[in-house]
Amino acid sequence: MTEDNKDLELGDIITLDDENGEPLGDFEVVAMFDLNGKEYVALTEALEDEDAEEELDEEVDIFVFQVDGGEMVPLEEDEEDAVYAKLNEVLEGIELIDKGE
């Protein structure tokens, strides 16, 4: 899965393509973080405003990719646990900010 992402920012909507160049859909950037000298981006399926309201109380799927040379690449199997642990820390920090704590 590749998408040229040189200047991603939180809230950006991007379209991901599969390895054959077929569009997979639109995804929103929900977190960006560094771990062990590598940059990562977390995405969730972009929803229409009315769908987003309904999804607030439901769990959503989050996909994490390493950003390497401006291109998103899938995680290596041996780095998944550490990356998802760091993502949980980042998302907890975002939730605390949203709640004004």
Side-chain angles (χ1 to χ4, degrees):
M1 279 180 238
T2 62
E3 174 77 13
D4 196 20
N5 298 298
K6 303 230 185 290
D7 296 312
L8 280 179
E9 294 183 13
L10 290 177
D12 282 355
I13 304 292
I14 61 173
T15 301
L16 291 181
D17 296 333
D18 66 13
E19 58 275 351
N20 298 321
E22 297 293 321
L24 292 173
D26 292 334
F27 293 82
E28 181 178 355
V29 177
V30 294
M32 299 175 72
F33 58 94
D34 292 324
L35 179 66
N36 299 328
K38 296 179 182 178
E39 183 180 348
Y40 297 91
V41 61
L43 309 172
T44 189
E45 187 176 351
L47 302 172
E48 299 295 326
D49 287 340
E50 59 273 3
D51 293 336
E53 302 258 340
E54 294 173 14
E55 295 282 330
L56 284 176
D57 294 328
E58 297 180 27
E59 288 188 25
V60 294
D61 292 327
I62 296 179
F63 307 95
V64 180
F65 296 91
Q66 180 186 346
V67 179
D68 185 14
E71 201 170 285
M72 293 188 323
V73 295
L75 298 180
E76 298 291 328
E77 198 171 312
D78 63 340
E79 66 184 343
E80 286 180 0
D81 290 342
V83 169
Y84 278 99
K86 177 67 175 181
L87 173 62
N88 285 333
E89 289 177 25
V90 170
L91 293 178
E92 285 175 12
I94 290 170
E95 286 178 18
L96 291 175
I97 292 170
D98 286 346
K99 292 179 182 178
E101 296 179 16

